[in-house]
Amino acid sequence: MALLEGKVAIVTGGGRGIGRAHALALAAEGATVVVNDLGEAEFGGEGQSNSGPADEVAQAIVAAGGRAVADTTDISDWDGAGAVVRAALESFGRLDIVVNNAAISRFGPIDVISRLDWERTIAVNLTGTAALSHWAAAHWRETGPEPGRRIVNTSSAVGLIPWPGNPMYTASKAGVAALTISCALDLAELGVRVNALAPAARTRVSATVAPDLMKPVEEGFDRMAPENVAAVATYLASPLCPYTGRVFGILGDDLTVFDGWTVSRHLNNAERRWTPQDLQAALADVPLQQEVTAQAIPGVEAAASPPKEVLEALAALEKA
Ligand SMILES: NC(=O)c1ccc[n+]([C@@H]2O[C@H](COP(=O)([O-])OP(=O)(O)OC[C@H]3O[C@@H](n4cnc5c(N)ncnc54)[C@H](O)[C@@H]3O)[C@@H](O)[C@H]2O)c1
């Protein structure tokens, strides 16, 4: 029997890129899919929207013998996300899997971005994920505990080990990782496992960020194919996955298990409030860089955070 036979899934941003691959992969494993996509013309979320991408994917699933409907709701709208859950229930009578994949990406350091950039990025990437999780979980709470429910969120390696240049995206994806863990704790009693992906694949987003990765593959394994990410999403959505509250990185065949914030040191001040001078002395042997113990992003060397160039630039300025 197919892995997801009888399951009903919602995939947000399912009309393009990684979400499209998710929708097709879940359907290939027997799931019925609500393909949600606003059809944003630009990945920065500034273009016109249209129903083309969601329609195309839903039609492809139906043409292959599966069941799917297209949905063009903007998932950043809290009540709109509720309408997507209702669409699944009205069309197919149940809901088992939510794949929160839709996101936008805008760039620029914190002093350059606008309030609108900030609000829209957080609205789509973080509020959209929270809103759909809210409505799905509210439905599941109403119907009572049942095994086999899944939420698959989409974080990013840069949300866990931040890079410069896109603070809104980075913060939104760090929020998604934290939301994943928190929801996993709350929803276990309803039979819901909640995990997140930190994907990388060839899409219109990576075309802008890393054009080198967009080079077509002439032969052999296509590392940048979105289908590589969809395979891991399928696992996380399936009964084969025993995890909850975890984040998995995937690029090609490189799988990364992120462990989130960990505590490296505990210092106690013998029942005295810390003074700045106490802290300076006590922290003297705490390294200025946090070590990243494994290669977090394939192709990018494991590095300490913040990188030594950042510390050197500050030190040079302070000496001048
Ligand atoms: N491509 C990568 O290498 C990469 C790396 C890290 C994380 N990610 C994450 O993977 C996910 C998919 O990224 P992608 O590269 O396939 O992007 P994409 O832009 O190709 O696809 C995203 C889809 O989401 C839709 N969308 C945007 N806003 C929406 C909204 N408010 N409501 C409904 N749909 C909406 C868009 O119309 C688009 O079709 C995102 O969460 C992204 O942040 C991607």
Side-chain angles (χ1 to χ4, degrees):
M1 191 168 100
L3 268 182
L4 304 177
E5 205 62 61
K7 306 282 187 198
V8 175
I10 296 170
V11 179
T12 69
R16 288 200 192 88
I18 294 171
R20 179 179 192 279
H22 288 333
L24 294 173
L26 298 185
E29 281 296 343
T32 296
V33 185
V34 177
V35 183
N36 159 268
D37 201 304
L38 180 56
E40 283 278 14
E42 306 287 337
F43 74 79
E46 287 157 301
Q48 296 213 314
S49 49
N50 74 90
S51 63
D55 283 341
E56 186 270 321
V57 175
Q59 282 162 18
I61 291 171
V62 172
R67 294 204 306 164
V69 288
D71 176 280
T72 55
T73 308
D74 177 349
I75 47 89
S76 71
D77 173 45
W78 193 270
D79 293 335
V84 183
V85 169
R86 278 200 304 282
L89 298 174
E90 280 160 18
S91 302
F92 305 116
R94 57 182 295 119
L95 176 64
D96 306 279
I97 298 162
V98 171
V99 181
N100 285 306
N101 163 81
I104 61 168
S105 191
R106 295 182 182 183
F107 298 94
I110 195 73
D111 52 320
V112 166
I113 60 170
S114 69
R115 176 179 176 166
L116 189 67
D117 290 332
W118 175 267
E119 288 180 351
R120 187 64 189 149
T121 306
I122 298 297
V124 177
N125 301 8
L126 185 54
T127 306
T129 300
L132 195 55
S133 303
H134 162 80
W135 291 108
H139 164 68
W140 288 330
R141 196 163 295 281
E142 206 176 284
T143 46
E146 198 181 303
R149 291 166 173 164
R150 299 285 186 270
I151 296 178
V152 180
N153 291 331
T154 309
S155 182
S156 166
V158 301
L160 299 152
I161 301 169
W163 279 7
N166 54 358
M168 309 160 276
Y169 183 79
T170 299
S172 72
K173 293 298 186 175
V176 168
L179 181 73
T180 299
I181 299 167
S182 183
C183 289
L185 303 179
D186 285 337
L187 301 182
E189 64 192 25
L190 298 176
V192 191
R193 290 184 193 273
V194 189
N195 292 291
L197 287 165
R202 188 191 311 114
T203 66
R204 60 186 187 162
V205 177
S206 48
T208 308
V209 182
D212 282 359
L213 299 179
M214 298 301 284
K215 288 187 187 134
V217 173
E218 313 224 318
E219 59 185 42
F221 180 54
D222 183 1
R223 286 178 56 72
M224 294 309 295
E227 288 73 17
N228 300 327
V229 178
V232 181
T234 305
Y235 162 77
L236 295 178
S238 82
L240 300 183
C241 172
Y243 296 101
T244 197
R246 305 297 293 271
V247 182
F248 297 90
I250 179 70
L251 187 167
D253 60 346
D254 283 304
L255 184 78
T256 318
V257 181
F258 285 93
D259 283 344
W261 291 97
T262 57
V263 178
S264 63
R265 201 73 64 108
H266 171 240
L267 304 167
N268 177 271
N269 207 26
E271 302 203 351
R272 283 183 304 120
R273 180 171 303 142
W274 290 98
T275 66
Q277 290 74 17
D278 284 345
L279 286 165
Q280 185 186 29
L283 291 171
D285 66 341
V286 174
L288 296 180
Q289 292 175 290
Q290 181 188 339
E291 260 192 71
V292 178
T293 51
Q295 197 183 44
I297 303 170
V300 177
E301 297 257 311
S305 178
K308 78 173 179 351
E309 304 78 58
V310 168
L311 295 173
E312 284 169 0
L314 274 173
L317 254 177
E318 284 160 3
K319 220 192 276 169

